[in-house]
Amino acid sequence: MPRLQVLNGKRQGATFDVGRGETVVGHRNTANVAIDDPWVSWDHARIFFQGDSFWVEDLGSTNGTYVNCVRVKRERLSNEDIIFFGKTHVMFTAPELARAAAGTEPPDKERSDF
């Protein structure tokens, strides 16, 4: 299952599962991924699945969302991308997507074209 791993700050080391629905990242306690960082907006960004990919979309945050040091409004995510929400850095990990892109999925897993 894809995950976000917090690389620095108060939640360093925390991991959050990212499902195929929408995952909201923000400063508020009720966000799916709550980040206690004053540089993170209340509802900062969302991560969602569309087509065959995961995406991150900035929700009009004050300080922006960055993927691999580039400010983005909406960006397709790849395995091990580094996302900046305020001054908090997280790594998006989805090894199954990396295997699928490389054509090296384990033989016991069936692929779906949905």
Side-chain angles (χ1 to χ4, degrees):
M1 170 172 282
R3 293 193 165 122
L4 294 177
Q5 179 181 355
V6 181
L7 301 176
N8 68 323
K10 293 180 182 179
R11 308 268 333 245
Q12 183 175 0
T15 59
F16 300 91
D17 290 340
V18 177
R20 296 220 169 189
E22 180 177 276
T23 300
V24 175
V25 178
H27 191 83
R28 65 184 167 93
N29 290 337
T30 57
N32 303 108
V33 177
I35 297 177
D36 186 13
D37 174 345
W39 298 93
V40 173
S41 295
W42 196 249
D43 290 318
H44 195 96
R46 71 182 183 121
I47 296 173
F48 61 99
F49 189 81
Q50 184 176 28
D52 61 353
S53 302
F54 280 90
W55 296 78
V56 63
E57 182 176 39
D58 188 83
L59 297 175
S61 68
T62 302
N63 295 304
T65 299
Y66 294 76
V67 176
N68 301 323
C69 299
V70 177
R71 190 171 184 157
V72 300
K73 287 288 187 186
R74 185 174 193 234
E75 182 74 18
R76 182 189 315 247
L77 294 172
S78 297
N79 186 47
E80 297 186 350
D81 276 346
I82 305 297
I83 309 169
F84 295 14
F85 302 113
K87 293 189 177 185
T88 301
H89 307 159
V90 302
M91 180 186 294
F92 175 78
T93 58
E96 62 276 14
L97 294 179
R99 284 192 302 269
T104 58
E105 278 197 67
D108 60 316
K109 292 200 173 194
E110 293 183 26
R111 292 190 67 195
S112 173
D113 293 327
F114 63 94

